[in-house]
Amino acid sequence: MTTEPQPAYLPVTTTASERIRARLVASKTRFHANDNIAAYIEPGELDQLLDEVSGHMQKVLESLVIDTVSDHNTQDTARRVAKMYMTEVFGGRYVDMPPVTEFPNAANLNELMIIGPITVRSACSHHLCPVIGKVWIGVMPNQHSNLIGLSKYARLASWIMSRPQIQEEAVVQLADLLQEKMQPDGLAVIMEADHFCMQWRGVKDMDARMINSVMHGSFLKDPALRREFLSLIKR
């Protein structure tokens, strides 16, 4: 009597994070801290993920030997922290890009436009400490550029920044997104921010800030345009 080979069954994934991660791995999609994964989250899974993160956060509090039963201040802390991470601090990972209304450059505008300062909030992916700062955006449109509404710059910046990351990569992500959306002759993005991983811990230096920039197109090629942009932003 021969025994037929039994089929190999994959373990059943029971949590939202396992299901989402399995889709990302199967599609060979990167899911670093500063990546958006909204396309791989199915309806209803965000609420399940919130419950899952709340449960894990409760275990973190217990491992820190914090009494969340009799301490009225921390009884709902796990849920509050989980909700803060998923819907605010890291919200840019889990939701689609906000809708952006685009307008043709009917007036053939070709003069420098500056937007800012836009207040942005992020988190350092090394320690999950706050990164809070301001962004300035310079645009040199051409007749073929798409123009976007003023408030949409802030919405796009918030969507990109609301993820754990480092400032250098965040500015590049924002610049690349705006370049793709608008197709201008030139684009410049400058960010200046306070990093609480330096102020709150470590060296505890309250005065150190980081400033970095990304320049595309005519901002790279034309020193006079670059100087004009830098002289006009108020930092």
Side-chain angles (χ1 to χ4, degrees):
M1 180 177 175
T2 59
T3 303
E4 294 183 2
Q6 297 298 311
Y9 292 103
L10 293 174
V12 177
T13 55
T14 58
T15 67
S17 65
E18 289 172 332
R19 294 193 299 272
I20 296 166
R21 186 180 291 105
R23 292 183 203 118
L24 289 158
V25 171
S27 65
K28 296 185 167 90
T29 299
R30 199 183 79 165
F31 52 104
H32 289 183
N34 62 346
D35 289 327
N36 178 272
I37 60 172
Y40 298 88
I41 300 175
E42 295 184 353
E45 286 185 330
L46 273 182
D47 289 337
Q48 297 169 20
L49 195 58
L50 176 58
D51 291 338
E52 185 180 339
V53 175
S54 297
H56 288 304
M57 188 55 63
Q58 178 63 32
K59 292 184 182 301
V60 170
L61 294 174
E62 291 171 1
S63 295
L64 290 170
V65 199
I66 294 175
D67 182 359
T68 61
V69 176
S70 60
D71 180 359
H72 62 280
N73 289 316
T74 59
Q75 285 175 356
D76 296 315
T77 293
R79 184 76 178 184
R80 285 192 294 264
V81 172
K83 186 176 181 181
M84 176 190 72
Y85 279 144
M86 290 197 57
T87 65
E88 297 177 283
V89 182
F90 303 161
R93 298 195 76 234
Y94 305 109
V95 297
D96 292 320
M97 183 177 67
V100 176
T101 305
E102 300 176 18
F103 307 95
N105 187 3
N108 292 328
L109 300 175
N110 61 354
E111 298 293 336
L112 172 62
M113 302 189 307
I114 298 176
I115 302 93
I118 299 170
T119 299
V120 291
R121 299 164 185 84
S122 190
C124 168
S125 54
H126 298 150
H127 296 94
L128 303 186
C129 286
V131 176
I132 300 177
K134 296 185 182 300
V135 165
W136 292 262
I137 300 167
V139 179
M140 180 59 72
N142 59 50
Q143 61 180 337
H144 304 295
S145 296
N146 289 325
L147 304 180
I148 64 177
L150 185 60
S151 66
K152 302 306 185 288
Y153 290 97
R155 293 185 187 278
L156 291 175
S158 177
W159 183 66
I160 290 289
M161 297 295 169
S162 298
R163 308 170 193 182
Q165 59 196 326
I166 61 173
Q167 182 174 331
E168 303 94 304
E169 293 178 357
V171 172
V172 171
Q173 279 191 324
L174 179 58
D176 288 348
L177 177 62
L178 292 172
Q179 183 70 35
E180 179 185 353
K181 282 282 175 193
M182 304 181 69
Q183 296 297 312
D185 280 345
L187 180 75
V189 179
I190 289 181
M191 179 173 174
E192 178 179 356
D194 293 313
H195 289 244
F196 281 54
C197 57
M198 284 190 65
Q199 298 179 356
W200 198 16
R201 56 159 301 280
V203 296
K204 297 183 175 67
D205 187 332
M206 299 300 293
D207 297 319
R209 294 179 178 177
M210 182 174 184
I211 304 170
N212 65 321
S213 66
V214 175
M215 304 281 176
H216 288 175
S218 54
F219 284 93
L220 275 177
K221 300 172 185 176
D222 187 346
L225 176 62
R226 188 163 60 250
R227 284 195 299 270
E228 181 183 4
F229 170 65
L230 294 173
S231 69
L232 289 174
I233 65 173
K234 308 295 184 185
R235 293 209 335 267

